Amino acid sequence: MSALLEVRDLTIRTGTGRALVTGLTFSVARGERLGLIGESGSGKSLTTLAVLGLLPDGMTASGSVVLDGTQIIGASEKTLAGVRGRGAAIVFQEPLTALDPLMRVGRQIAEPLRRRRGVTGAALRRAVAEALERVRLPDPARIARAFPHELSGGQRQRVALAMALACDPALLIADEPTTALDVTVQAEMLDLVDTLVRERDMAVAFVSHDLAVVARVTDRVLVMKDGHAVESGDVHEVVRAPREAYTKALVDSARQLESALDSFGGAQ
Amino acid sequence: MKRRSPTLWTGAVLAGLVVLLALVSLVWLPYDPADTSGGRLAGPGDGHLLGTDKLGRDLFTQLMTGSRIALEAGLGSVLIAALIGVTLGVLAAYAQGWFDDTLSALLDILIAFPTLLLAMLIVAARSATLGSAILAIGLAQSAVVARLTRILVKRVLAQDYITAARTSGTSWPRITAGHVLPNIWPTLVVNLALQFGLAVLAEAGLSYLGLGAPPPNASWGRMLQEAQATFTTAPAGALAPGVLLVLLVIGVNLIADGLRDVLDPTTRRGRAAA
Ligand SMILES: Nc1ncnc2c1ncn2[C@@H]1O[C@H](COP(=O)(O)OP(=O)(O)O)[C@@H](O)[C@H]1O
Ligand SMILES: [Mg+2]
């Protein structure tokens, strides 16, 4: 069986022709959990957007991106609308901007549910409540009626996760979903993502600049730097024996952070 | 959710005064607007609250019909500006490449084009009526509204929640109605309120120049013009429409200010975070 996501020689350029991502090749099998790591600005977010044909205005992608059997590059808006959501859905980094500030949370989750399952009315309301419960949000009825600004950052991020899961995607793309959260909330969110995708055999592309985070929830990692793939392989292999200097630096800084956190945690 | 805004209330009271005059004028006027039996340039009192003009018509009656014209001008222009401006602005924001460029260039030209010149062209093509004045003002303002709308929509479209909606395959019409319009609405409403005040002033200006509603319709601008020659001997004829004009425009601007505080989602959010 072919891979769920097959990216070959992906290059992303700005309108002026500057290459932001160059010759990137990787794949994600069904149910596989891939980590995408690299420092800020290395092109991780653009790569995930290109997977769904959602690059910002003026940017162009070349190469090949096949998601769930559909070629994304050069596809019509209609084809894209068909594969988005079903093929892959994204959870974004910033929980404040990922939700419409003026729309009640319930309605925002209802939209993909309605589209994906064709339910309406009371059945739709029930589905919304279930979706909120699934991401461990307490009192789903109250949360559904709330506006984003009435929720905490962690709660908002769970809502965003619920929205992405409501699409029932074959691939969940999580673009630094924990970076903007407090450390404790971060750990809960990671566990939640981990549990939910394992439960449904969903594939994950987990993006982070933090190797320690990626190592917890993925099997394989792809290390990026300046729009290039630097190294890839089994996550534990890479952490134990990084081949590239850049990866080594990432591992070291993750270690330092870890030990700093440990000594800090011991003092608490 | 709702917050009381003193600015909004003050504005509503000031503008409400003019609205009240206009509403009453629909069912009752002290004199027939064409009634010249009052004697020329009579002073205030003596059956005429504000006196009469140089043809002997009751000033207060003219002031009342004038307030209706002022409000019609404001509403009509803003309606045209909103309909054309928001539609063009949304289209330009969605469009990419040459359509967006062409439209932006056209809007810049239209904005630079003097309203007065536009009004004279329209009056030449049609005739000097209130409708012509409203059309000219509305068209000129739709360019301003379109440019603002385009910027606002572009800003909303760059937000993650739009990408998230597209991720789940939501169609453009649904995204526009569900996410884009509600999010640009607060800023847009404030701007339209400001445009309302500007339209009232513009109509008075056009009428002053004889490019607005023809006699015997008493636009405040025409009242000002007619009273100009006799201002030193009978100041009420110029003062009264001038004062109402200022009251209405200040009132509407205060409403716009108040709406900004009440509707602005960022201050609402800021409050919740505080
Ligand atoms: N809309 C844009 N226009 C121009 N350059 C952009 C845009 N978005 C991102 N970039 C650039 O592309 C590079 C990769 O960005 P991104 O994929 O967001 O990095 P990451 O997610 O790894 O932090 C960065 O150098 C960034 O400055
Ligand atoms: Mg990023």
Side-chain angles (χ1 to χ4, degrees), chain A residues 14 18 20-21 38-47 56-57 59 93 175-176 207:
Chain A
T14 61
R18 193 160 58 93
L20 298 172
V21 169
E39 63 193 357
S40 171
S42 53
K44 307 180 299 288
S45 295
L46 289 180
T47 303
D57 276 5
M59 278 195 202
Q93 170 172 354
D175 188 354
E176 311 211 27
V207 178

Side-chain angles (χ1 to χ4, degrees), chain A residues 174-189:
Chain A
D175 188 354
E176 311 211 27
T178 61
T179 304
L181 304 177
D182 296 340
V183 179
T184 48
V185 183
Q186 224 178 68
E188 284 170 22
M189 183 77 188

Side-chain angles (χ1 to χ4, degrees), chain B residues 39-183:
Chain B
R40 319 179 78 199
L41 296 175
D46 195 20
H48 294 279
L49 188 58
L50 295 172
T52 59
D53 68 1
K54 61 184 178 191
L55 295 176
R57 294 171 302 190
D58 180 49
L59 274 179
F60 194 70
T61 303
Q62 295 192 51
L63 215 54
M64 285 175 74
T65 52
S67 49
R68 201 168 71 212
I69 290 176
L71 292 176
E72 275 170 14
L75 274 180
S77 310
V78 164
L79 214 62
I80 292 176
L83 276 178
I84 300 180
V86 173
T87 310
L88 281 185
V90 169
L91 285 179
Y94 282 158
Q96 290 165 31
W98 68 269
F99 183 69
D100 187 20
D101 294 344
T102 315
L103 206 55
S104 299
L106 277 178
L107 291 181
D108 284 340
I109 293 172
L110 197 54
I111 287 170
F113 202 77
T115 310
L116 183 57
L117 204 56
L118 188 65
M120 283 164 70
L121 289 176
I122 289 176
V123 165
R126 301 180 66 201
S127 62
T129 61
L130 180 59
S132 299
I134 289 177
L135 193 61
I137 299 167
L139 283 179
Q141 291 189 329
S142 49
V144 179
V145 173
R147 194 163 65 169
L148 175 71
T149 304
R150 175 176 168 275
I151 294 168
L152 291 175
V153 172
K154 285 230 172 210
R155 208 161 60 192
V156 172
L157 289 182
Q159 300 286 324
D160 282 346
Y161 57 82
I162 298 293
T163 315
R166 292 178 67 196
T167 300
S168 59
T170 310
S171 65
W172 278 120
R174 280 192 89 90
I175 288 180
T176 309
H179 296 290
V180 176
L181 291 180
N183 275 287

Side-chain angles (χ1 to χ4, degrees), chain A residues 49 52-54 57 77 81 84-85 88-90 92 94 96-103 111-112 114-115 149 163 167, chain B residues 1 93 95-96 154 159-161 163-172 174 178-180 182-183 186 265 268-269 272-273:
Chain A
L49 289 175
L52 283 170
L54 287 169
D57 276 5
E77 199 52 34
R84 283 175 190 153
I90 308 186
F92 294 97
E94 189 47 67
L96 201 65
T97 58
L99 300 173
D100 185 336
L102 299 183
M103 195 186 270
E111 178 62 26
R114 192 188 56 79
R115 270 183 48 86
H149 70 254
M163 263 172 79
C167 300
Chain B
M1 202 82 218
Q96 290 165 31
K154 285 230 172 210
Q159 300 286 324
D160 282 346
Y161 57 82
T163 315
R166 292 178 67 196
T167 300
S168 59
T170 310
S171 65
W172 278 120
R174 280 192 89 90
H179 296 290
V180 176
N183 275 287
R268 257 196 268 161
R269 210 172 6 201

Side-chain angles (χ1 to χ4, degrees), chain B residues 16-26 60 63-64 67 220 244:
Chain B
L17 217 65
V18 177
V19 173
L20 192 69
L21 279 183
L23 286 179
V24 172
S25 83
L26 291 174
F60 194 70
L63 215 54
M64 285 175 74
S67 49
W220 292 341
L244 276 197

Side-chain angles (χ1 to χ4, degrees), chain A residues 8-93:
Chain A
R8 200 160 291 147
D9 209 18
L10 172 68
T11 297
I12 301 173
R13 291 178 191 281
T14 61
T16 56
R18 193 160 58 93
L20 298 172
V21 169
T22 328
L24 197 62
T25 298
F26 67 95
S27 67
V28 182
R30 277 176 202 283
E32 193 189 12
R33 307 174 321 142
L34 174 76
L36 223 62
I37 68 167
E39 63 193 357
S40 171
S42 53
K44 307 180 299 288
S45 295
L46 289 180
T47 303
T48 62
L49 289 175
V51 166
L52 283 170
L54 287 169
L55 286 175
D57 276 5
M59 278 195 202
T60 51
S62 59
S64 162
V65 174
V66 177
L67 173 62
D68 207 5
T70 308
Q71 173 61 252
I72 300 293
I73 292 178
S76 69
E77 199 52 34
K78 190 156 165 263
T79 310
L80 289 173
V83 70
R84 283 175 190 153
R86 179 173 57 78
I90 308 186
V91 181
F92 294 97
Q93 170 172 354

